[in-house]
Structures are given as C-alpha cells and as structure tokens.
Amino acid sequence: MAKLILNRVAKDFGTGRAAVSNLSIDVREGGFLALLGPSGCGKTTVLRMIAGFETPTDGSLHLGERLLADASQSLPPERRNMAMVFQSYALWPHMSVADNVGYPLKVRGVSGEAYRRKVGEALATVRLEAYAERRPADLSGGQRQRVALARCLVTSPDVVLLDEPLANLDRHLKQEMEETFREFHQRSGATMVYVTHDQSEAMALATDVAVMSEGQLLQVAPPDEIYARPEGRVVGGLIGRGAIVSLRSPDGDVRQLDWAAVEPLFSGEGGSASRADVLVRQEDVVLGGEGIAATVESVLYEGERYAARLRLADGQILRAFSRSKLAVGDDVRAMIRGAWRL
Ligand code: ADP
Ligand code: MG
C-alpha cells in the first residue's frame, strides 16, 4: 500500500466547462478521505479517474511511486488493485453470501485453502461470519451492504472507492452503516476515498474532508479543523449548521471573533467601513438576555430542542437552537457567543 497522490488533475469532457480543474490532494496510506460537495461538482469524475474509468486531461495520479495516469497514459482499472463500491450494490441472488464475497477471487483463479481463508477474513471484517450460507434475500438492507463491502475487500485492494453508498438509505440504516464503514476502515486498514454530498456523513466518517465546488478543491482538512476554521463562504455554508451574515468589517485580522467584537458591528457602531462575511454557527446563538432583536421566521421541532430561523432588523438571517418552545412571529433576543470571519 502507499499514498494516493493527485497532482493538478483536470478533466475536461469537451463541454466547455471543465468537470475537474487543478485538483491536488494526497491521501495518506490507510487514510479515509471524504470528497464532499454539491451534486455536479465533479466528485464522481475524480473517483472514476482514481479507479481508471476516466483519464485526466491534465495533471497526474500516482499510488506511491507508481504512475496511475496522466494525460498521455493510463493504467487500466484491473491493474490498479482498487475496489469501487457503487450506490447500488448488486449481489447475485442465487448465490450464498460466501459465494458472493468469493466471486472476485474465483474470477482471479484463487481456490482451495487460500480462497476459504480470504472469504472467511472478509466476512469477519464486516461481522457476517454467521451468515456465510444465507442468500442475500434473507438479509437486511444493512447486512446486504456489508456483503458488498466484504466482496470488495476480499481481493485486498490498496484503495477502496465509494460513491455515495448511503444516499438511498433511510436515516436509521444510514447511521448503522456509518458505524460499519468506520469499523470497516479500521479493521481493513485500506485507504479509502468516499464521495458524499452529506456533510454530516463526511464529518462522521472521514479522517480528512476535501470540499469541492464547481470542479475545484476549496479546502482539505481533518473534520474538526474544517469545522473550526472553514475557508470562504462555500465551505462555511456547507459544513455545520449556521448562517453567514455580512457585517461592517471587524478591525484587525483576528478570525475567531467573540460576541464583544461582533455585537457593535450589528448595532452600527464600530470599526472600518468595509464589509466582511462572518459565519455564526447555530450552537453559538443563545436566545434571551441582551442580544440583538430578532423575529422567529420558522421553527423546526427536533425532539431535544427547537431549531429556529431568525430574521434581524436589517433583514439578515441567523439560526439558533432553543430548549424552550418557540413560535413563528415571536420577538426574541439573540446573543452571539462566537463567530468565525470567513
Ligand atoms: P458529482 O459526482 O459531484 O455529482 P460529476 O463528477 O458526476 O459530479 O459531474 C461533474 C460535471 O461533469 C457535471 O457537470 C457533469 O454533467 C459532467 N460530466 C460528468 N461525466 C460526464 C461525461 N461522461 N461527459 C460529459 N460531461 C460529464
Ligand atoms: Mg456523483
């Protein structure tokens, strides 16, 4: 195994706008990278270039020292020792779980003791040893997806590529599968690249999150860092829940702002005349006290709390959580405990 290196990779399908441009990312060996971004931003195209189903029109991809592809040459997918898990994970209905998992080995001519051992190990990794002789139809949706994972793991791939594997699942199954993926990563030690448009999924699973927009890489960082220090409006808007407000620019270049710094900029006193975008996270807004006057515009009851959209006097939006009941039209005061200058 080795580091996966994307160096200034571009893909232009000849449509007038590049699907991916100038994208550089290193995925360390054994790392779990989430490629996060809205639909159409180029995530699948990146994954397909890593797998070898598309060739880059510029830049290069390496696995360690080995060149996977550049604009003039490309190693075919079957020689890259990677496995790709798709959104729909077709299993053979007439074969047992063990036979489904072992299928890629059969294709490669592996048999006998080596075959049995590898299938056993792959099933153990996804905790399905006890289900080896069942048919897919006798399994739950989550178990079936674990079979698909075991099948991709059985050939000991260097890199596992997953394209929105949870996009069609209900919330409950999604949570179960997130745990499976985390465990799968830890137990297999494989380098993983995981495509998703769901930020909470990316944050929960990955060791590093790469945020893409319109074919470009905007930021790559561990989940806690990208949450604490998002770069720019797009990343700020995509990661976590909050609102971006435009304020009269705070003085100095301190990025982590506190209430004392932000409040005068709302109320019209304060520093320089230029504007700045400030991210105010929903958990940093507390209702009550001496905050800014706001009106509740919409409320979502989430069981443990209410999530509210607030409109300020100047028309801008803030988001807040509240333990006590809120109703549309309520006049409240919003205290900002912290803010991040984008
Ligand atoms: P995502 O997976 O983030 O939704 P894609 O990688 O599928 O995005 O697509 C990125 C862009 O590239 C889109 O504008 C899409 O229409 C375009 N695209 C993807 N595949 C092709 C193709 N084979 N031919 C032409 N355009 C393509
Ligand atoms: Mg896609």
Side-chain angles (χ1 to χ4, degrees):
M1 275 197 248
K3 190 155 114 177
L4 175 66
I5 303 157
L6 280 67
N7 184 30
R8 300 179 155 274
V9 169
K11 180 68 186 181
D12 193 336
F13 288 105
T15 52
R17 223 183 87 224
V20 175
S21 16
N22 197 26
L23 185 111
S24 298
I25 309 181
D26 286 4
V27 190
R28 65 180 167 76
E29 182 178 330
F32 190 152
L33 179 84
L35 270 182
L36 173 68
S39 175
C41 74
K43 305 180 297 294
T44 295
T45 303
V46 172
L47 213 63
R48 288 173 59 79
M49 285 192 282
I50 297 171
F53 300 124
E54 299 286 356
T55 52
T57 43
D58 206 352
S60 63
L61 295 91
H62 285 80
L63 190 59
E65 301 284 290
R66 195 157 66 123
L67 176 70
L68 297 175
D70 61 19
S72 60
Q73 56 193 314
S74 180
L75 200 65
E78 64 275 13
R79 292 188 50 208
R80 296 189 179 201
N81 198 28
M82 297 183 180
M84 190 147 170
V85 181
F86 297 92
Q87 213 178 78
S88 60
Y89 43 94
L91 302 175
W92 305 106
H94 59 286
M95 284 188 202
S96 71
V97 165
D99 289 346
N100 265 285
V101 170
Y103 186 77
L105 293 175
K106 282 243 166 71
V107 172
R108 287 168 167 77
V110 181
S111 63
E113 178 48 30
Y115 175 88
R116 278 190 296 277
R117 181 175 46 80
K118 283 173 193 267
V119 171
E121 282 170 5
L123 283 173
T125 304
V126 298
R127 300 193 187 283
L128 282 178
E129 303 99 310
Y131 295 80
E133 296 315 316
R134 304 256 189 118
R135 306 264 155 175
D138 302 328
L139 303 180
S140 72
Q143 288 169 332
R144 263 179 252 161
Q145 197 151 28
R146 275 148 63 192
V147 176
L149 278 177
R151 185 176 58 186
C152 95
L153 188 70
V154 79
T155 52
S156 307
D158 292 326
V159 182
V160 177
L161 305 170
L162 303 114
D163 195 354
E164 312 226 18
L166 305 183
N168 293 334
L169 303 185
D170 65 50
R171 195 196 298 201
H172 183 75
L173 186 52
K174 225 170 123 122
Q175 269 173 8
E176 179 192 323
M177 287 310 300
E178 282 178 9
E179 280 165 34
T180 302
F181 280 125
R182 256 201 312 269
E183 205 184 327
F184 171 81
H185 174 245
Q186 279 157 12
R187 290 165 72 109
S188 69
T191 305
M192 292 172 64
V193 181
Y194 186 104
V195 161
T196 180
H197 65 270
D198 180 335
Q199 61 96 15
S200 62
E201 205 175 290
M203 305 288 276
L205 287 171
T207 56
D208 295 277
V209 177
V211 180
M212 284 183 69
S213 172
E214 298 182 350
Q216 315 247 9
L217 177 69
L218 299 182
Q219 188 175 3
V220 56
D224 53 349
E225 191 181 319
I226 215 163
Y227 191 87
R229 291 182 281 279
E231 287 168 10
R233 279 187 75 97
V234 177
V235 182
L238 214 62
I239 303 279
R241 297 208 273 179
I244 296 171
V245 288
S246 168
L247 297 176
R248 298 188 322 105
S249 188
D251 289 327
D253 58 0
V254 183
R255 299 258 268 175
Q256 191 79 60
L257 303 169
D258 60 22
W259 162 248
V262 176
E263 192 264 351
L265 303 169
F266 271 106
S267 61
E269 303 147 27
S272 73
S274 63
R275 309 287 294 183
D277 287 335
V278 172
L279 172 65
V280 183
R281 284 261 159 70
Q282 194 154 7
E283 65 271 24
D284 289 332
V285 179
V286 181
L287 298 185
E290 306 193 339
I292 312 153
T295 307
V296 177
E297 205 175 60
S298 68
V299 191
L300 190 67
Y301 180 53
E302 298 184 340
E304 75 276 29
R305 62 193 177 189
Y306 295 83
R309 227 171 88 94
L310 310 174
R311 186 173 289 279
L312 305 176
D314 67 359
Q316 297 200 80
I317 298 296
L318 276 184
R319 292 178 190 279
F321 292 122
S322 169
R323 289 294 198 124
S324 44
K325 188 164 180 167
L326 289 175
V328 173
D330 283 354
D331 289 321
V332 294
R333 296 238 160 216
M335 281 277 292
I336 298 172
R337 289 189 305 195
W340 173 251
R341 186 174 175 179
L342 292 167

